[in-house]
Amino acid sequence: MQKRANYVRALGALFALWGADYPAAYEGAQAAAVDGLAAPAPPSAAVRRRLEDEVLTLGALAATLPVESLYKPWASMSGGDGDGPAQFGAARNLLLGDSAQHMRALYDGLELEVPPAYEAMPDHVALLTEVACLYAEAGNGEAVRALLADHLDWLGAYEDALATRLATLGARPLPVAQHHDELTAALAHGRELTGALTRAIHNLSQSLR
Amino acid sequence: MQEKEALMRCNPTRRTFLKGTAATAALAAVGTCSVATWQAERAEAAGAKTQGASLCNGCSSKCGLVATTLDGRLWTVEGMEEHPYSKGTLCGRGHGTAQWAYSDGRLTQPMKRAEDGSFAPISWDDAFAEIGAKVQEILAEAGPEALAIVQDPRPSGKYYSKRFMNALGSANVYTHAAACNLSKESGIQEATGASNYSVDFPNTKMVVFIGRSYGDGIRPSSVKSLAGAADKGARVVIVDPRLNNTGIFATDWVPIKPGTDIALLLGIANVLVTNDLYDHEFIEQFTVGFPEFAAQVAEYTPAWAEGICDVPADTIVELAEALAAAAPACAIEPSWRAAFGCAYQNSFETARAVCAVNALLGCWGQKGGALITSSPKAGDVDPVKFPKVPEPAVKRVGDAEFPLALSGTGTNLAVLNGCNDGTVQGVFFYNSNAVQGYAQPAKWREALAKAKLVVTIDVQMSETALVSDYVLPECTVLERMELPEFIGGKKHYVALRTPVIDRVHPETKPCDEIFVGLAEACGVGQYFPFTIEELADAQLATVGTSLDAVREAGIVELADPGFEFGTPTFKTPTEKFQFTSAKVAEAGLNPVIGYVPRLVEPAAGEFSLIGGKQGIHSHTMTLNLEALNAISREYQLERLWMAASDAAELGIADGDTVELSSSEASGRVAVKVTERLKPGVLFLPTHYGSTSPYLTRAQGFGLNMMDFIPLHLEPAVGSTMSQEVAVTVRKVED
């Protein structure tokens, strides 16, 4: 379990911002690969930079963040005393939804702090996979199962979002035309990473049955 | 490596994004960490519910709202009962824009544009330092008059932007008015001495709307007032080429040729004067220039007016007689943007004509008529704690060329012209998407490309941000406090924006902090030695209240201004209502309120193009918001309206794609075929056609009307002449 969870963690980490250190992150993922699963090869520096700057950064040109809240209804909370549901409860593409609130509660219980850069994204895939790995290292299979089921079940929607971004890229004039090819490759690589992570999560989940 | 990025780095062999040692017992615990368990626990234990007051930022009305949070997260927003603009209701855009705090489309950190047009993050310190250096360079080479700021006024923004610019020695502070209501307010000011007025709906018997639609734009309270008047049997006349969404309250729809409302108004004036239906007492005691006006208006017969505006002479006569019968409990409504805020060459004069008709009806200050009320403002504060900024030595760019522009707003198109001729070299934009909305975007881009420095402060990467050298992210309204907002009318109030939720993105700032940072970097920080709380408290003390009191209540009613019905004091140079104006004469225009044609006359086969607001959007600001964008797409709200008879003639069916063209641009959009539009006119809602690739839901959705409009500035006023265009349309065959 621990090795499979560690591989999931290493793949989740590839969705963080590494800058010039990114090759080491891919090496880590390749070293952690298990059960014949193949970790993605590192892209070129230009593609990785485009992925980080324009896809994995909030507010960026092709921002498509692997943040759970964006792909699920925002809130199921109600006001209590029959006061009804939250105003945007059914909306998607909003940060700090229920999943983020639950993860904050988990971090509090685990005495973990969310770094400032993730303040608005406590349910970022890099953090989710890290927590899954922590539970696995503690031998808590039930917690790992729960986390996978509750918080890592949206990657299909994320890959769809990347695919949509890729498909519509051609129709959207970009400020710099020469970035188009790099951005196309970056989005395609993002889908590749998502596919690898999905397979790794499935592999981990199967092993916990 | 920036601090933010450093925090996100980790040892690749042993990652740690999360900080801390991870409580061992908690890691090992079973049955406690599922979402289902958590939700069940929360359902049983009521979440910490808090309420906070703020002012909506969905448009410039700034309606009072109450936001309720549960465990720190926004649960709902509702209109503040006591606020005179909301009266317990928030409009669609108010509810939609409340989402902004959590939107994935926000700017989250300062950005700097590279030479190739791409943007990269930059730290606040570096951004301030670089901007400060460029400002110093511009000051040294060209003086403070080469710097300017354009802002759509908000409580903090209007104070800090002016203070910042004046501290630099520049008087170049402009609002968005040239693309909104500049002509209307300047015209009303010239005639009455006040820049605006309101209709006394509770008592009115008849009201005529020229273009303005409460059902589409601004203020729930306006809709409620109108609904109340309609319920009481008031006659509500909509003069508009389009039967707009106020139609549900209307008794009459008068379809009119765009840009010719002035002819209708002068035709009505002609009937009132010729048939001796006007208020003699008011005219004799409280006006100047009536003889000259009466002599001139003699030629503006209903038949003459019909020939220009296409409203039958009989209708004009009937309207005039009905208004006279209802007088003084009647009025021509002042409008906002609509037909003469900034639309035509004759917009300023149309505003004066509106005022002239009200004068003839004797309804100024009367029950049911046109009311000029007062507004409170902060008194003087301690000049030691809040140092006075010296008046800039050089006049504002554009004031000489556009002397009739309201002094409180100026015309922001002077900035566009100034960039082109080198007079203006550094431009700041706050809460303003000038490039997309204030004049033809291509012209703005061309002008701003010549500037040495462009800085935009906004919450999203707007079209204006996209051409800026630096983009500084503001946090959204629900995350910030602002200075007090003073509200005028028959009663006076003061209200406040208070932070209702914690800042979502730590690298965003409220505008007061941004302007203070800019000021310090530009060497004028000594004029900002106070916090916003200190200033707010000091301002509120001058009106007999305090920051704590307003925070607690959300809105506080101030001392009774003592409004009474009766002829107001006209604060004009003559202290009377002005049918003639020396200032207008000095500007080279006809001093007597009279006819001015529109500039562009569509030829055969061409159409007039008019724009307008929709109830869920504000100009170019809101289209990227998820919920509001979804409504637009669901109901195809981006469509171009075309009259059924025109559509039939051109073989166009409802839903067909057409190509709309002017001398400036062409674009394709679906058509809504309707009976609610005068033939010969096309209507395009003014929220669409975003070109910012960062606004992914908005980019390429529909057409931006301003793309089609040639750049013209209204003589002596400087408004953008937003509807002076003739267009053609053809069906796009598949």
Side-chain angles (χ1 to χ4, degrees):
Chain A
M1 175 175 68
Q2 290 175 14
K3 285 185 178 174
R4 292 183 180 98
N6 187 45
Y7 181 47
V8 167
R9 187 268 326 149
L11 288 174
L14 294 179
F15 290 90
L17 304 185
W18 290 88
D21 295 337
Y22 83 92
Y26 283 83
E27 284 166 18
Q30 282 165 350
V34 292
D35 300 332
L37 294 170
S44 69
V47 170
R48 180 69 201 186
R49 182 176 60 245
R50 206 56 65 204
L51 179 71
E52 293 195 9
D53 290 351
E54 308 291 14
V55 181
L56 298 180
T57 297
L58 275 174
L61 190 59
T64 316
L65 277 293
V67 174
E68 185 182 356
S69 289
L70 300 176
Y71 305 100
K72 292 184 172 176
W74 191 62
S76 62
M77 67 188 185
S78 70
D81 303 324
D83 277 338
Q87 184 146 354
F88 321 122
R92 293 168 196 254
N93 295 305
L94 298 178
L95 295 167
L96 298 177
D98 275 356
S99 52
Q101 305 305 311
H102 180 234
M103 288 312 299
R104 276 196 176 150
L106 285 184
Y107 299 143
D108 286 346
L110 294 170
E111 296 175 17
L112 293 169
E113 280 176 34
V114 176
Y118 289 97
E119 193 72 39
M121 304 180 288
D123 50 349
H124 189 286
V125 73
L127 306 189
L128 298 173
T129 53
E130 181 167 325
V131 171
C133 192
L134 287 172
Y135 278 129
E137 286 172 355
N140 194 340
E142 184 194 318
V144 176
R145 264 195 302 276
L147 195 78
L148 296 185
D150 287 340
H151 288 289
L152 285 165
D153 60 341
W154 48 274
L155 292 176
Y158 180 56
E159 188 170 357
D160 288 344
L162 288 168
T164 301
R165 194 69 88 208
L166 189 56
T168 55
L169 200 57
R172 294 172 48 214
L174 299 179
V176 184
Q178 61 263 35
H179 290 174
H180 185 278
D181 290 345
E182 289 172 2
L183 200 42
T184 301
L187 288 164
H189 184 63
R191 294 185 67 195
E192 186 188 352
L193 294 180
T194 309
L197 178 57
T198 303
R199 287 187 290 278
I201 288 170
H202 178 73
N203 186 51
L204 174 59
S205 176
Q206 290 290 106
S207 74
L208 291 172
R209 291 192 179 184
Chain B
M1 186 182 292
Q2 297 181 34
E3 185 185 323
K4 181 182 89 68
E5 289 177 347
L7 285 168
M8 298 182 80
R9 297 293 179 261
C10 61
N11 181 338
T13 60
R14 183 62 193 168
R15 80 302 171 249
T16 47
F17 295 107
L18 294 158
K19 305 299 171 195
T21 51
T24 310
L27 278 175
V30 296
T32 58
C33 76
S34 75
V35 165
T37 305
W38 173 75
Q39 284 179 331
E41 285 168 2
R42 289 174 84 233
E44 281 177 18
K49 196 192 274 191
T50 61
Q51 280 196 331
S54 187
L55 305 173
C56 179
N57 206 39
C59 76
S60 52
S61 283
K62 303 178 286 294
C63 295
L65 66 84
V66 176
T68 305
T69 66
L70 281 180
D71 294 328
R73 199 158 49 130
L74 187 67
W75 174 48
T76 188
V77 289
E78 43 198 309
M80 190 188 287
E81 264 319 315
E82 307 79 8
H83 196 287
Y85 297 165
S86 41
K87 291 190 178 171
T89 302
L90 274 191
C91 75
R93 55 181 80 77
H95 286 283
T97 55
Q99 273 186 357
W100 232 326
Y102 303 104
S103 172
D104 64 345
R106 285 178 59 181
L107 289 161
T108 61
Q109 53 195 326
M111 302 289 267
K112 178 180 177 179
R113 189 161 59 100
E115 290 229 5
D116 66 1
S118 63
F119 281 89
I122 183 173
S123 72
W124 278 104
D125 286 346
D126 286 349
F128 285 145
E130 291 183 18
I131 293 168
K134 290 213 167 114
V135 165
Q136 293 298 336
E137 202 179 291
I138 292 171
L139 287 170
E141 287 176 9
E145 56 269 33
L147 295 167
I149 191 161
V150 179
Q151 44 101 27
D152 191 332
R154 295 296 185 268
S156 276
K158 64 188 176 189
Y159 177 91
Y160 279 88
S161 63
K162 184 173 190 295
R163 191 172 182 87
F164 169 60
M165 200 49 52
N166 288 172
L168 291 171
S170 172
N172 298 336
V173 182
Y174 308 88
T175 74
H176 65 302
C180 181
N181 56 4
L182 178 62
S183 302
K184 163 234 168 184
E185 298 223 330
S186 301
I188 295 175
Q189 171 96 0
E190 231 14 79
T192 71
S195 60
N196 203 4
Y197 65 91
S198 58
V199 174
D200 180 30
F201 283 104
N203 297 303
T204 200
K205 294 178 187 168
M206 183 169 175
V207 59
V208 176
F209 287 88
I210 306 286
R212 175 89 188 269
S213 174
Y214 288 178
D216 291 292
I218 317 281
R219 290 189 202 169
S221 60
S222 300
V223 176
K224 290 182 182 188
S225 295
L226 178 58
D231 283 346
K232 282 184 181 175
R235 186 168 171 190
V236 178
V237 180
I238 292 178
V239 176
D240 194 323
R242 181 177 76 115
L243 178 55
N244 58 53
N245 288 331
T246 309
I248 55 171
F249 301 117
T251 51
D252 304 70
W253 173 36
V254 178
I256 191 167
K257 197 170 151 195
T260 66
D261 306 280
I262 191 171
L264 171 71
L265 291 160
L266 292 172
I268 290 172
N270 170 281
V271 174
L272 294 174
V273 171
T274 305
N275 296 354
D276 199 20
L277 295 172
Y278 65 92
D279 185 325
H280 281 255
E281 188 182 341
F282 174 80
I283 294 299
E284 282 154 25
Q285 287 190 37
F286 297 107
T287 75
V288 293
F290 178 73
E292 295 93 315
F293 174 75
Q296 192 172 258
V297 90
E299 69 181 274
Y300 303 141
T301 63
W304 167 89
E306 177 181 350
I308 294 172
C309 69
D310 225 21
V311 175
D314 288 346
T315 302
I316 297 172
V317 171
E318 194 278 326
L319 284 174
E321 290 174 347
L323 282 165
C330 64
I332 312 295
E333 201 269 350
S335 190
W336 194 302
R337 183 178 197 255
F340 59 96
C342 62
Y344 301 102
Q345 171 175 257
N346 60 21
S347 286
F348 171 85
E349 200 65 357
T350 303
R352 288 213 299 164
V354 164
C355 295
V357 172
N358 285 340
L360 293 171
L361 294 168
C363 68
W364 288 107
Q366 305 306 311
K367 266 198 178 176
L371 306 181
I372 294 174
T373 54
S374 58
S375 289
K377 60 179 185 178
D380 289 336
V381 292
D382 180 353
V384 173
K385 273 190 184 168
F386 311 100
K388 277 197 179 301
V389 177
E391 282 294 318
V394 182
K395 285 187 121 190
R396 179 170 53 191
V397 170
D399 279 4
E401 192 184 352
F402 303 103
L404 298 180
L406 211 58
S407 62
T409 69
T411 167
N412 59 67
L413 297 178
V415 174
L416 190 158
N417 286 347
C419 288
N420 275 331
D421 66 23
T423 311
V424 175
Q425 299 181 18
V427 190
F428 291 79
F429 292 96
Y430 172 67
N431 190 54
S432 162
N433 194 7
V435 166
Q436 185 71 348
Y438 296 6
Q440 194 187 117
K443 303 294 184 190
W444 267 113
R445 288 192 190 102
E446 189 185 315
L448 291 173
K450 297 173 186 167
K452 290 183 177 167
L453 174 67
V454 182
V455 179
T456 289
I457 302 168
D458 206 328
V459 298
Q460 60 188 359
M461 189 66 92
S462 67
E463 287 78 5
T464 304
L466 212 54
V467 300
S468 300
D469 299 300
Y470 299 89
V471 184
L472 306 178
E474 189 176 26
C475 54
T476 65
V477 154
L478 295 181
E479 301 167 88
R480 68 190 194 230
M481 175 182 161
E482 290 201 34
L483 291 174
E485 175 74 359
F486 294 90
I487 304 150
K490 289 188 210 159
K491 293 183 179 182
H492 285 179
Y493 300 87
V494 67
L496 201 62
R497 282 179 168 159
T498 64
V500 173
I501 56 175
D502 290 339
R503 213 169 295 182
V504 172
H505 300 291
E507 287 300 307
T508 59
K509 292 180 188 287
C511 81
D512 58 288
E513 290 181 21
I514 297 174
F515 279 112
V516 171
L518 286 171
E520 284 167 357
C522 294
V524 291
Q526 69 272 23
Y527 292 106
F528 297 85
F530 47 84
T531 65
I532 189 171
E533 288 85 2
E534 288 168 343
L535 178 58
D537 203 28
Q539 287 183 336
L540 290 167
T542 69
V543 292
T545 185
S546 68
L547 181 56
D548 286 343
V550 184
R551 263 182 180 149
E552 170 82 23
I555 187 167
V556 166
E557 187 177 339
L558 299 175
D560 186 349
F563 172 81
E564 287 178 357
F565 289 106
T567 305
T569 304
F570 293 106
K571 293 178 183 170
T572 58
T574 57
E575 295 182 346
K576 298 203 174 182
F577 178 89
Q578 301 195 139
F579 282 104
T580 63
S581 162
K583 193 173 176 188
V584 176
E586 281 159 23
L589 304 179
N590 179 4
V592 183
I593 299 174
Y595 178 65
V596 176
R598 63 173 282 176
L599 178 69
V600 176
E601 195 61 47
E606 292 183 329
F607 291 82
S608 294
L609 182 64
I610 62 171
K613 250 180 152 164
Q614 293 171 325
I616 57 162
H617 286 301
S618 272
H619 302 302
T620 64
M621 185 173 71
T622 51
L623 188 60
N624 203 52
L625 285 164
E626 168 79 22
L628 302 180
N629 187 279
I631 294 171
S632 280
R633 290 186 186 272
E634 173 85 16
Y635 295 101
Q636 296 178 274
L637 297 184
E638 81 284 6
R639 287 176 297 170
L640 177 74
W641 290 33
M642 176 181 276
S645 56
D646 289 332
E649 205 172 300
L650 293 172
I652 294 171
D654 188 54
D656 279 351
T657 300
V658 295
E659 184 166 270
L660 179 71
S661 300
S662 75
S663 56
E664 312 299 303
S666 280
R668 295 184 174 191
V669 70
V671 154
K672 173 188 166 93
V673 175
T674 178
E675 298 285 356
R676 288 170 59 186
L677 191 63
K678 183 176 171 60
V681 182
L682 299 170
F683 167 79
L684 190 65
T686 52
H687 313 298
Y688 299 93
S690 171
T691 53
S692 172
Y694 290 80
L695 305 180
T696 53
R697 288 181 275 270
Q699 188 195 23
F701 180 26
L703 298 178
N704 178 20
M705 183 167 166
M706 291 313 292
D707 282 327
F708 295 85
I709 310 299
L711 178 63
H712 293 298
L713 279 66
E714 188 178 348
V717 180
S719 293
T720 196
M721 292 168 68
S722 62
Q723 295 182 168
E724 288 283 15
V725 69
V727 295
T728 58
V729 68
R730 68 171 185 88
K731 179 176 174 176
V732 173
E733 306 290 350
D734 287 331

